[in-house]
Amino acid sequence: ATIKSGNQFEVEIYPSFRRQIPDMIKRYKSQRKESRECQKNLNDRHAKKKLFRLIHENFYPGDYWCTFTFAEDPKDLETAEKLCKNFFRRINRARKKKGLENAKYVYIIEEAERLHLHLVMDNGLSKQEMELKWGLGFSHIQTLNYYKDENFIGICEYMVKERKNIRLKGKKRWGSSKGNLVLPKPSKNRTKLSRKKVMDMV
């Protein structure tokens, strides 16, 4: 399968296990605990790929990488989530007054010493306008660039790094705007490759 997202192009090659499927099912039933852990790791890898593709497809140099802190620490993650969503509503109201569509964004709430918000957002508003709409504490807004410190791969790696206690029950580790982000779809190619060809590619 091939997947194009922004300036990134991925090729994924999957082996076929048709002959081994009966034996694989038997091993799965006898090693369920190990299988659950493998499935969790696989789910994490898929979630990371989805975030990478989402950001590369929907954001461009000139968009923003932001960190927002709270002057008064929210009592819990759920309260922080509500404050952040109110901030997104304020942003969209300001954009509407300028004749702009709702903001595109991907965010994560991090709990280090204190809760704070990391955010990738398109640049419809100026940095000063963004800071004023936050109004809950310190703001640090950087301009995204493919090739400098504020690069797309770097922020993706940061957003998916392992963290403790940073998600609400039943929710993903990161959130995003609704209805205006495009997730690239894989283009499938069923070409068969020999083991030698695959190893040569490796």
Side-chain angles (χ1 to χ4, degrees), residues 92-104:
N92 284 334
R93 283 198 294 270
R95 291 172 65 103
K96 187 175 181 180
K97 289 179 180 178
K98 291 189 167 191
L100 300 173
E101 296 181 353
N102 285 347
K104 294 182 178 183

Side-chain angles (χ1 to χ4, degrees), residues 162-174:
E162 290 300 321
R163 293 173 169 87
K164 295 174 67 177
N165 303 323
I166 57 152
R167 70 178 92 176
L168 297 175
K169 185 177 180 180
K171 290 201 172 185
K172 296 180 297 187
R173 69 180 69 187
W174 50 269

Side-chain angles (χ1 to χ4, degrees), residues 17-177:
F17 295 110
R18 290 180 184 176
R19 294 179 183 175
Q20 295 91 341
I21 284 176
D23 289 336
M24 291 170 69
I25 292 173
K26 289 180 183 177
R27 287 199 301 273
Y28 173 78
K29 289 181 177 179
S30 63
Q31 300 174 351
R32 287 189 176 182
K33 184 176 180 180
E34 182 180 345
S35 296
R36 284 196 295 270
E37 185 64 26
C38 290
Q39 187 62 49
K40 179 183 178 299
N41 293 337
L42 181 62
N43 291 343
D44 284 345
R45 286 201 299 274
H46 286 325
K48 290 176 182 180
K49 287 180 182 180
K50 181 177 180 180
L51 179 65
F52 272 59
R53 293 165 185 168
L54 201 64
I55 288 179
H56 279 92
E57 180 69 15
N58 292 280
F59 300 96
Y60 305 91
D63 288 336
Y64 298 142
W65 167 236
C66 318
T67 299
F68 295 107
T69 64
F70 298 92
E72 296 184 12
D73 205 24
K75 64 179 182 179
D76 53 32
L77 184 58
E78 187 172 9
T79 302
E81 183 93 7
K82 289 178 180 177
L83 291 171
C84 292
K85 288 187 175 180
N86 288 337
F87 165 61
F88 299 143
R89 292 188 188 101
R90 292 195 295 275
I91 288 288
N92 284 334
R93 283 198 294 270
R95 291 172 65 103
K96 187 175 181 180
K97 289 179 180 178
K98 291 189 167 191
L100 300 173
E101 296 181 353
N102 285 347
K104 294 182 178 183
Y105 57 84
V106 177
Y107 72 94
I108 187 166
I109 299 173
E110 182 173 16
E111 185 177 18
E113 294 180 2
R114 302 181 67 179
L115 288 166
H116 54 279
L117 170 69
H118 291 298
L119 172 71
V120 182
M121 183 178 279
D122 63 350
N123 64 0
L125 301 181
S126 69
K127 293 181 181 180
Q128 185 178 20
E129 288 171 314
M130 295 268 291
E131 291 170 352
L132 289 172
K133 293 304 175 187
W134 174 247
L136 297 173
F138 175 77
S139 304
H140 183 59
I141 303 175
Q142 300 167 278
T143 302
L144 282 171
N145 190 299
Y146 281 138
Y147 307 108
K148 294 185 179 180
D149 291 339
E150 300 76 33
N151 67 73
F152 289 60
I153 293 177
I155 64 172
C156 289
E157 291 282 3
Y158 184 83
M159 293 181 80
V160 297
K161 74 177 184 179
E162 290 300 321
R163 293 173 169 87
K164 295 174 67 177
N165 303 323
I166 57 152
R167 70 178 92 176
L168 297 175
K169 185 177 180 180
K171 290 201 172 185
K172 296 180 297 187
R173 69 180 69 187
W174 50 269
S176 64
S177 55

